[in-house]
Amino acid sequence: MSKKIKRLLSKKGKSKIVSLTAYSKSFAKILDKYCDIILVGDSMANVLYGMKNTHQITLENIIQHSISVREGVKKSLLVVDMPKGSYKNSNQARKNAKLIKKKTKCDAVKIESNNKNFKIIREISKAKIPVMGHIGFTPQFKKKFKIQGGNAKEVKRLIKEAISIQNAGAFSIVLECITPMAAKLITNLLRIPTIGIGSSINCDGQILVTDDMIGLSGFYPKFVKKYINLNTVIEKAVKKYSKEVKNKRFPRGRNFLNGK
Ligand code: KIV
């Protein structure tokens, strides 16, 4: 087990784990100072590429963005999402996880659970590539948004799924949009850290899509706290630039090309 993973595991029950998504070096460089985990999420499908879901994003897309993110990450654990269709069976999953690791030098991969693919987690882990699980609302497999774990039967199913993921060798697990009660029970039962998104304070850590929390994505579900509205900030700067170019106030002064 790598030092970074050991350090992350040691945080369980002691200090909260901070995680965010990044798709490029410039963002990753800023996030790296404050995050334990940086995830290159397949959410780039909606956020960057304007797709209606995450299903069309390719392995090549993910790898390309991860190579950029790697350039900005020094200390955080770099986790790369395996896109839909890239882990349909154990052989394909192992092959693609190895490819992702080789090309991006990531620390781990993340795969969404369909409550059946535990063997795949075991296979990737056996190939010495740490795996992060993902349960609850898993956009690669669930068509309609719904908070998960709303009744006793669902909570029981989620607990069973989380334990199976842990037993398959995952080092951590994302809990997406599950009820506070389910998050609490799962977090208390597992020895690996739970990272919540829209799943209450009862998780070992939190993750958000960076573009949502800085007000860039235009997608703000209830659980997102917008820490800044970067859309407005950028628009203000671009408006000023546009005005200055048009009224010849930019560029000004010395001509840098001929030194005069
Ligand atoms: O793709 C992503 O950004 C994710 C997070 C929402 C956990 O999976």
Side-chain angles (χ1 to χ4, degrees):
M1 192 187 292
S2 75
K3 267 191 196 158
K4 276 186 185 177
I5 302 261
K6 268 192 197 153
R7 206 179 312 135
L8 189 88
L9 294 182
S10 73
K11 291 200 167 207
K12 181 153 179 115
K14 295 200 184 88
S15 57
K16 292 282 185 184
I17 296 166
V18 182
S19 330
L20 282 169
T21 61
Y23 316 123
S24 68
K25 177 189 170 183
S26 45
F27 272 75
K29 221 172 146 184
I30 302 170
L31 270 42
D32 192 43
K33 294 182 208 160
Y34 304 100
C35 287
D36 299 296
I37 299 172
I38 295 180
L39 169 72
V40 184
D42 64 355
S43 52
M44 69 173 68
N46 317 84
V47 176
L48 286 188
Y49 291 96
M51 296 169 176
K52 69 174 196 307
N53 56 42
T54 56
H55 301 183
Q56 305 304 321
I57 211 72
T58 64
L59 196 58
E60 287 71 29
N61 292 146
I62 293 268
I63 287 174
Q64 207 53 49
H65 284 280
S66 303
I67 290 171
S68 171
V69 170
R70 173 80 276 170
E71 289 293 309
V73 177
K74 281 205 184 101
K75 66 158 226 346
S76 312
L77 193 83
L78 176 59
V79 182
V80 173
D81 236 348
M82 292 193 71
K84 188 176 171 78
S86 70
Y87 52 100
K88 283 192 208 140
N89 57 59
S90 297
N91 277 347
Q92 185 209 29
R94 197 187 321 106
K95 187 174 137 259
N96 285 332
K98 279 185 176 174
L99 182 73
I100 293 174
K101 174 118 171 90
K102 185 170 168 227
K103 295 256 182 197
T104 72
K105 315 261 181 299
C106 65
D107 299 294
V109 295
K110 173 166 86 57
I111 78 166
E112 290 186 16
S113 174
N114 60 2
N115 208 7
K116 291 196 279 266
N117 52 14
F118 312 121
K119 195 174 156 222
I120 283 170
I121 296 178
R122 190 178 298 283
E123 284 300 314
I124 302 175
S125 305
K126 268 206 298 200
K128 303 227 173 331
I129 301 173
V131 181
M132 184 178 226
H134 185 163
I135 64 166
F137 180 69
T138 45
Q140 290 185 16
F141 298 110
K142 301 223 162 68
K143 284 201 180 104
K144 222 173 141 217
F145 178 76
K146 186 180 159 274
I147 298 276
Q148 311 284 306
N151 57 52
K153 196 175 157 207
E154 271 190 32
V155 174
K156 221 171 140 188
R157 180 188 50 79
L158 283 168
I159 291 175
K160 210 169 153 216
E161 192 176 5
I163 291 175
S164 301
I165 289 170
Q166 173 178 271
N167 290 346
F171 71 93
S172 177
I173 183 165
V174 169
L175 309 181
E176 180 160 353
C177 295
I178 74 171
T179 55
M181 174 58 88
K184 191 172 187 172
L185 289 169
I186 292 168
T187 301
N188 288 342
L189 278 167
L190 295 190
R191 58 174 188 279
I192 58 173
T194 59
I195 311 295
I197 174 160
S199 298
S200 85
I201 191 86
N202 299 334
C203 305
D204 295 308
Q206 298 293 324
I207 185 160
L208 282 175
V209 170
T210 302
D211 294 60
D212 296 346
M213 61 82 87
I214 59 175
L216 256 189
S217 66
F219 176 71
Y220 311 115
K222 256 199 211 147
F223 61 81
V224 169
K225 179 172 174 186
K226 233 195 280 172
Y227 283 82
I228 187 172
N229 188 344
L230 220 54
N231 247 319
T232 318
V233 175
I234 296 173
E235 188 175 334
K236 219 169 144 188
V238 173
K239 191 175 170 190
K240 191 165 181 215
Y241 168 73
S242 160
K243 207 169 147 191
E244 291 193 358
V245 169
K246 283 178 186 161
N247 65 23
K248 299 177 191 156
R249 286 176 56 219
F250 177 86
R252 270 251 158 128
R254 219 164 142 244
N255 183 334
F256 288 96
L257 279 181
N258 60 19
K260 286 178 192 158

